[in-house]
Amino acid sequence: MKKRIVVLGATGSIGESAMRVVRALPDHLEIVGLSGRHNTEALLQLAREFPSAALCTGDEASAAILQQHLPDRIITHGAAGLKLLATLPAADLVLIAIVGTAGLRPALRALEAGKDLAVASKEILVMAGEEVMATALRTGRRVLPVDSEHNAIFQCLEGRDPSTVKRLILTCSGGPFRTSDKEELALVQPEQALQHPTWSMGRKISIDSATLFNKGLEMIEARWLFGIPMEKIDIVIHPQSIVHSMVEFVDGSILAQLGSTDMALPIQFALTYPERIAGPCAPLDLAALGRLDFETPRLDLFPSINLARRAGTAGGTLPAVLNAANEAAVEAFLEGRISFPGIWKNVEQAMESVPFVEHPSLDQLVTADRAARESVRN
Ligand code: NAD
Ligand code: MG
């Protein structure tokens, strides 16, 4: 039987890779819902390719344009539209590939409506991972990781006794400034930071990969996805991005998952889980690669890792504050309003200034998120 999929954020980088997977596996996967915020033309093309997909755009005007082209189609917009797609009766699984936290409420709605989740949007797990995982537990649904590191760990952990896990080792490419010194980091421009050495991704995550906030967010993401304390989550720099992450067990064995640098592979594993099938990804030629390197992260030059460790350990509203301040700071950097190291500085200031709540409700998390963005704007 085909699995029926909704993709929220279908016009982005993850969305594009997901479409490649779906096209390659027509006997296994079917698209029943697609959302895109701004790129109406791209969404229209996808809509024509997948005739049974309900659609959601960012605003009413673009929804009206689509409806003119596709008079018989279900077409919605905005937050209500995302909710409708996330709870479509025809859907089995919802892939959350929206950048930032706009996918949080749709994700929770999808679980409540009995859908499994595939989560690319790490920001929603950083902001409200406890809530998402508790909702999944209560509704008996799966939260399948799409982020390559977490997908790797998920594969390494499959069938293992959790009490035998000593630590999770997240690999990190080091980003474009892996070997830069403090003076060079101070002068980094947006165009340089957007050039990732091994992955081609959306703008926000590319900047996160340059500051290493991406790895910081991923530590917190792992903490919730795998129910593991922060002190058991480590990072190793691995410039080739071939080992996607590892799990160390109590006996000293380390299991790793390797693959080419193509997000289609973890996306496919999440969409077809628990099946493992042949798909569109190129096989890995280890002899052609020749070598795999590993290094210690430079925590003094990239304060994001320690800030994230602090937020993940404290819990409460602190991860939400870190995440929201980072989103706002990345925007400010891309608009030329703050320097590259200013991203770290702004996040740290928000973490110090926004009031801490230890056991926040969803509303309190949203309030903390807003206060953090406000703190960066000021
Ligand atoms: P992107 O910017 O390329 O695409 C984002 C998508 O979300 C687009 O379809 C856009 O229309 C939609 N969108 C943006 N803001 C929205 C909003 N407020 N409401 C509704 N829709 C909105 O981003 P991406 O690189 O595909 O990343 C998506 C998510 O996946 C991010 O959370 C990122 O951290 C995560 N991720 C990406 C990669 C990657 O290789 N690109 C890898 C791992 C994890
Ligand atoms: Mg990742």
Side-chain angles (χ1 to χ4, degrees):
M1 216 174 66
K2 286 191 202 181
K3 208 181 269 182
R4 296 163 303 173
I5 315 273
V6 168
V7 181
L8 301 186
T11 55
S13 161
I14 289 286
E16 210 174 287
S17 301
M19 292 309 134
R20 232 175 351 111
V21 172
V22 172
R23 282 181 199 115
L25 303 174
D27 298 335
H28 294 83
L29 304 171
E30 180 186 350
I31 292 290
V32 295
L34 294 166
S35 92
R37 189 191 194 187
H38 290 311
N39 196 340
T40 316
E41 188 49 44
L43 194 59
L44 180 61
Q45 272 185 29
L46 288 176
R48 292 201 161 115
E49 186 181 353
F50 300 105
S52 47
L55 307 175
C56 173
T57 67
D59 56 50
E60 202 172 351
S62 50
I65 295 173
L66 283 182
Q67 196 82 71
Q68 280 174 3
H69 290 278
L70 308 161
D72 302 327
R73 199 70 70 94
I74 299 175
I75 300 175
T76 62
H77 66 272
L82 291 178
K83 192 178 96 186
L84 187 130
L85 253 58
T87 57
L88 270 187
D92 302 311
L93 179 146
V94 179
L95 168 60
I96 312 282
I98 292 176
V99 61
T101 51
L104 174 59
R105 285 189 196 271
L108 293 171
R109 293 292 188 138
L111 289 172
E112 299 281 2
K115 321 292 182 197
D116 286 332
L117 285 186
V119 178
S121 311
K122 62 196 80 192
E123 296 93 342
I124 72 170
L125 292 172
V126 173
M127 179 180 178
E130 193 168 12
E131 176 87 13
V132 172
M133 298 314 285
T135 306
L137 193 67
R138 180 162 49 75
T139 56
R141 304 323 303 177
R142 290 186 176 121
V143 179
L144 298 155
V146 166
D147 213 344
S148 55
E149 294 77 2
H150 306 74
N151 194 272
I153 289 170
F154 183 71
Q155 295 191 42
C156 296
L157 284 175
E158 241 194 317
R160 316 275 158 190
D161 174 355
S163 72
T164 63
V165 174
K166 189 168 172 200
R167 59 183 181 130
L168 310 182
I169 307 166
L170 296 172
T171 52
C172 171
S173 73
F177 311 119
R178 182 171 60 88
T179 57
S180 304
D181 61 25
K182 197 169 179 162
E183 287 67 39
E184 287 163 337
L185 288 175
L187 299 173
V188 164
Q189 295 303 306
E191 313 77 62
Q192 299 168 289
L194 286 167
Q195 299 303 319
H196 196 273
T198 50
W199 294 97
S200 148
M201 311 179 284
R203 286 164 68 84
K204 196 256 174 182
I205 185 173
S206 296
I207 301 299
D208 286 348
S209 299
T211 58
L212 298 204
F213 261 120
N214 183 50
K215 215 46 57 179
L217 298 177
E218 288 182 352
M219 291 166 75
I220 305 174
E221 181 185 12
R223 190 239 168 288
W224 292 118
L225 275 172
F226 306 113
I228 228 144
M230 283 306 277
E231 64 267 21
K232 288 188 170 185
I233 304 174
D234 279 338
I235 290 171
V236 67
I237 301 290
H238 168 45
Q240 293 91 353
S241 305
I242 294 298
V243 175
H244 294 308
S245 276
M246 301 173 259
V247 177
E248 183 179 337
F249 293 87
V250 285
D251 60 357
S253 284
I254 293 181
L255 297 190
Q257 185 260 346
L258 285 70
S260 52
T261 49
D262 181 353
M263 285 306 293
L265 188 51
I267 291 170
Q268 176 184 316
F269 192 79
L271 296 187
T272 62
Y273 186 81
E275 273 189 276
R276 192 185 279 279
I277 46 186
C281 291
L284 194 59
D285 183 345
L286 284 173
L289 274 165
R291 56 187 275 180
L292 299 174
D293 296 302
F294 299 94
E295 300 164 6
T296 306
R298 300 185 301 162
L299 300 179
D300 51 335
L301 287 185
F302 294 86
S304 31
I305 302 287
N306 281 335
L307 289 172
R309 192 174 285 288
R310 199 169 102 205
T313 306
T317 41
L318 211 53
V321 168
L322 170 129
N323 176 64
N326 178 53
E327 274 186 44
V330 168
E331 220 175 278
F333 169 67
L334 286 173
E335 288 166 6
R337 286 185 280 121
I338 63 172
S339 70
F340 186 73
I343 302 177
W344 296 312
K345 221 169 292 157
N346 273 275
V347 173
E348 188 172 10
Q349 275 164 8
M351 284 171 66
E352 267 145 32
S353 67
V354 176
F356 178 71
V357 181
E358 197 175 353
H359 299 290
S361 63
L362 199 52
D363 285 340
Q364 284 171 313
L365 285 173
V366 172
T367 305
D369 175 294
R370 278 205 199 110
R373 287 170 205 268
E374 199 54 36
S375 142
V376 174
R377 244 169 257 131
N378 296 335

